[in-house]
Amino acid sequence: MPGVAKMSLGDVGDHQADESGCGQFEGSTILALQPVLLDWGETLPPPGVVLQSQEIHLPTSAWQYLVLQLAPIPPTWPHDTQGGCTLSVKRLVLAAGMPLPPRFSDDGWLLLTHWPDVKAMSSLLFNPNGVHFLVNARHRRYRHLWPERISQFQAFLSSQELEASRVVFAGCLVLELYGIRRARVIGYLALDAVSHAVSPFISQEAAATKGGIDKVELITDARHHFEVDGFRVMAFGQLQRLKHHRRNLQDRNDLAMMAALEEGRSGYLWLGRCIDLVLVGAMSGRRACARLARSLGRRGLLKRLRGRGKRSRGG
């Protein structure tokens, strides 16, 4: 996976793991993060048993996105970087009874000790799908839409009495998160039944079945999704697989834009967005013509019925 330099898994022992692969141990589990800067390098993390460790090279846009997610950050961290930055990430377990360290260490480490924060960042930074999202997405393009999306997700889950951990959001939302194009509908897959339709959400179960994608595995196995702010999102590669199976004009254009994004071909990405607008316009035109034809058909039928009625009364 691009951007991942190395990962090592320690002997994690017995623990209660959640579905993201993170777990709570007898001691406190913390996440230690630090940019690897050439002038001072990486310093020793706080004392504890290292469970997972990796270095990720983040381009400038990914670094800016992550800094916003992690704020507040240590004063020694750069807020902006030219050419990106390598981030060292370590998940550690402290000895039972050992006090939690402060958020900022004296030697530049950012230490996350609140379990929801540890879980959220671990599920992003230790998941290849999450790293792919960080490294490849155009984070700025539709960032202004995300607060509204969060409200929509929360309302949808609440109205259907669903747990966020039992739902994966898919389809156009993945493209929007990656900055490819705006989502017009939001696909989802859920382990539990959805009682009624809620706009703009649409089930992707039939499409997933036809594409040979196991719904339960996709939702419960972190190899097939990633998490953003506690919501599970279909992995980029899984969406490509789904679109390769369907292969209509919209899917072909989306696949071309997804490839252009990964290859850094901004011109092709812009062209794909233009084609998308044309396809949407054509689809809207077809729907308008269908509505007009149905309306004219009904009017013609009414006229014929009225004509017959007049002839009957005349007879």
Side-chain angles (χ1 to χ4, degrees):
M1 185 64 60
V4 181
K6 62 182 180 181
M7 174 183 283
S8 61
L9 301 178
D11 181 11
V12 298
D14 294 331
H15 67 284
Q16 183 179 359
D18 54 42
E19 292 175 346
S20 69
C22 306
Q24 276 285 32
F25 292 73
E26 290 185 2
S28 298
T29 304
I30 69 171
L31 203 66
L33 306 99
Q34 184 187 76
V36 180
L37 303 176
L38 294 178
D39 53 346
W40 48 284
E42 179 184 315
T43 58
L44 291 175
V49 178
V50 178
L51 307 175
Q52 288 176 285
S53 175
Q54 79 165 330
E55 291 184 357
I56 311 168
H57 181 73
L58 300 172
T60 301
S61 61
W63 176 254
Q64 292 170 342
Y65 172 84
L66 195 61
V67 163
L68 289 175
Q69 299 297 308
L70 293 172
I73 61 173
T76 55
W77 282 29
H79 285 267
D80 198 359
T81 59
Q82 295 297 325
C85 179
T86 298
L87 181 71
S88 176
V89 189
K90 300 182 186 297
R91 194 162 70 94
L92 307 96
V93 61
L94 306 180
M98 186 175 178
L100 293 175
R103 184 177 179 85
F104 301 159
S105 74
D106 294 334
D107 47 8
W109 287 95
L110 172 63
L111 305 175
L112 302 182
T113 59
H114 185 50
W115 175 242
D117 296 338
V118 173
K119 179 179 179 296
M121 279 295 114
S122 295
S123 64
L124 186 66
L125 295 171
F126 287 114
N127 183 339
N129 301 316
V131 175
H132 184 278
F133 166 66
L134 280 174
V135 171
N136 291 279
R138 305 288 178 93
H139 297 285
R140 287 178 175 270
R141 186 166 183 83
Y142 298 116
R143 186 173 61 190
H144 63 286
L145 299 176
W146 188 240
E148 179 186 350
R149 294 300 186 212
I150 290 178
S151 298
Q152 289 177 315
F153 298 157
Q154 291 171 338
F156 173 72
L157 295 174
S158 177
S159 69
Q160 304 293 331
E161 298 183 348
L162 299 172
E163 296 179 16
S165 62
R166 296 175 65 82
V167 177
V168 161
F169 295 103
C172 299
L173 177 72
V174 181
L175 302 179
E176 185 176 281
L177 273 170
Y178 270 83
I180 293 175
R181 67 171 174 85
R182 186 168 178 170
R184 291 180 283 274
V185 296
I186 300 174
Y188 69 87
L189 292 164
L191 293 178
D192 306 297
V194 172
S195 58
H196 58 278
V198 178
S199 179
F201 296 92
I202 182 169
S203 174
Q204 299 274 281
E205 187 159 347
T209 301
K210 290 180 181 177
I213 295 175
D214 184 278
K215 179 183 74 171
V216 175
E217 188 174 316
L218 190 142
I219 296 172
T220 59
D221 192 333
R223 291 176 299 177
H224 307 301
H225 64 253
F226 63 99
E227 292 189 21
V228 181
D229 291 335
F231 300 104
R232 295 186 176 182
V233 180
M234 179 183 281
F236 194 85
Q238 285 290 334
L239 183 61
Q240 285 177 315
R241 176 181 170 185
L242 192 63
K243 288 184 173 292
H244 270 297
H245 178 79
R246 293 189 306 207
R247 298 290 290 180
N248 59 37
L249 286 177
Q250 182 72 72
D251 290 321
R252 291 179 182 182
N253 187 53
D254 286 342
L255 284 168
M257 288 193 290
M258 294 170 83
L261 178 78
E262 289 189 300
E263 295 165 10
R265 296 181 296 164
S266 299
Y268 285 89
L269 192 56
W270 178 86
L271 178 60
R273 293 189 186 115
C274 293
I275 294 172
D276 179 68
L277 293 176
V278 172
L279 293 174
V280 171
M283 186 181 300
S284 299
R286 287 196 299 270
R287 289 173 179 170
C289 290
R291 286 194 298 268
L292 179 60
R294 287 194 297 269
S295 177
L296 292 175
R298 284 194 295 268
R299 290 178 185 177
L301 178 61
L302 288 173
K303 286 181 179 179
R304 288 195 295 272
L305 291 174
R306 288 171 184 169
R308 291 176 184 176
K310 289 178 180 180
R311 287 195 295 272
S312 296
R313 287 193 296 274

